[in-house]
Amino acid sequence: MATKTLHFPSARHLHLLYAGREENLASIERHLGVSLVTREDWLKIDGPETAIGRIEALFGFLNEARSQGMSIRTPDLTRFVEMIARGEDDQLRELFGQPLVIATNRKTIVPKTLGQKLYLQSIQKHPLVFGIGPAGTGKTYLAMAAAISALLKNQVERIILTRPAVEAGETLGFLPGDLREKILPYLRPLYDAMNDMLDPEDITRFTEKGIIEIAPLAYMRGRTLSRSFIVLDEAQNTTPEQMMMFLTRLGEDARMVVTGDVTQIDLPRSKQSGLLEVQGILRDVPGIAFHQFSGNDVVRHPLVLKIIEAYERYKNPIAPDDGGASR
């Protein structure tokens, strides 16, 4: 047995590394076989020397994550601890070997959760990535950021942003206004994200030249999209036929990200979601990555996570235990 004390810049700094929850320290003790005591800006570790080394590695990775802009949350910490316990230090070292920064004209974007970082790394490594999860996890915003960054670095020649206008059904032609005015309400979220990352004059110039194209999914039919970064948003509202049509548009030197939330399907009940089906079809195809976000990756107002959790409890109530008397 041995003892070692780790010192940190401040009590708040240390507090943030374990997400400010005493139960997280207890979880670390159970998983890594040590005893931990913390006061102010220090952490005392009692245990075998090998276990102490693991604790040092763990807090080193947590510190690196924070320095790269990540907010440590309990699920992230749990994942770190489990990886350390399995001896997967190399994977964590690779994950944080260098900061992941997405540069756009108006702002620099860094992942705020471990899930977001893994998602962006998948986008960088694979030509086709599916980002699936609840609202507020950044799946569309980060895909847009990656697309704009790739364009500014001349890695692609154009960006194509699309989503199904499913709420319009067959009545699009009867809506007032010209084509742009008819489809704008369904594409507004994509414009909002783009306005956050590019100067207005750049948006005007890129869209007028066709370098950035925002269009309903139906406009993708029959095209081959080469040397492009293509983002399909709200993919849960595609039919299986639309999903296959879209995925087969992938052309030479193109990259594609498909995002959606399978809990918010607006299709008629008689139609299956293409996003649900495609997971079973393409899950094991090399070059394709599926990234599943959870409520723990929500980065909007804290109430958003609570709302998602409340709906999950409502939809999936825990069955009462009939096996014995209550205690």
Side-chain angles (χ1 to χ4, degrees), residues 191-209:
Y191 279 101
D192 289 343
M194 187 166 61
N195 288 332
D196 207 25
M197 302 173 196
L198 290 173
D199 296 323
E201 55 270 23
D202 289 329
I203 295 174
T204 301
R205 177 167 55 89
F206 288 152
T207 52
E208 286 179 349
K209 291 184 177 181

Side-chain angles (χ1 to χ4, degrees), residues 122-272:
S122 291
I123 291 174
Q124 292 179 340
K125 293 177 181 178
H126 299 90
L128 174 56
V129 174
F130 290 83
I132 304 170
T137 51
K139 54 188 183 295
T140 301
Y141 190 87
L142 293 174
M144 290 278 293
I148 290 172
S149 179
L151 178 67
L152 297 177
K153 292 179 180 178
N154 296 315
Q155 295 173 350
V156 295
E157 295 178 359
R158 58 181 175 157
I159 295 173
I160 298 171
L161 309 170
T162 184
R163 63 182 348 209
V166 74
E167 299 89 343
E170 298 298 323
T171 65
L172 195 60
F174 296 97
L175 295 174
D178 59 22
L179 179 63
R180 182 179 180 279
E181 291 171 332
K182 290 177 181 180
I183 64 177
L184 183 60
Y186 309 105
L187 305 177
R188 184 77 260 173
L190 299 178
Y191 279 101
D192 289 343
M194 187 166 61
N195 288 332
D196 207 25
M197 302 173 196
L198 290 173
D199 296 323
E201 55 270 23
D202 289 329
I203 295 174
T204 301
R205 177 167 55 89
F206 288 152
T207 52
E208 286 179 349
K209 291 184 177 181
I211 296 173
I212 294 181
E213 176 185 352
I214 305 181
L217 179 60
Y219 285 64
M220 300 299 108
R221 190 173 299 278
R223 302 174 61 182
T224 300
L225 307 175
S226 302
R227 294 173 294 281
S228 305
F229 199 119
I230 312 119
V231 178
L232 170 60
D233 187 32
E234 297 289 324
Q236 75 274 7
N237 289 327
T238 62
T239 64
E241 294 78 14
Q242 288 174 324
M243 179 63 76
M244 182 179 179
M245 177 276 291
F246 174 76
L247 296 177
T248 53
R249 301 308 94 200
L250 191 65
E252 182 182 4
D253 296 325
R255 298 158 66 183
M256 186 177 280
V257 180
V258 178
T259 69
D261 178 0
V262 294
T263 68
Q264 297 190 27
I265 297 173
D266 298 316
L267 293 168
R269 291 190 177 185
S270 59
K271 293 186 177 181
Q272 183 179 3

Side-chain angles (χ1 to χ4, degrees), residues 97-108:
Q98 57 184 14
L100 203 167
V101 178
I102 303 295
T104 65
N105 280 359
R106 301 194 73 177
K107 66 191 306 184
T108 297

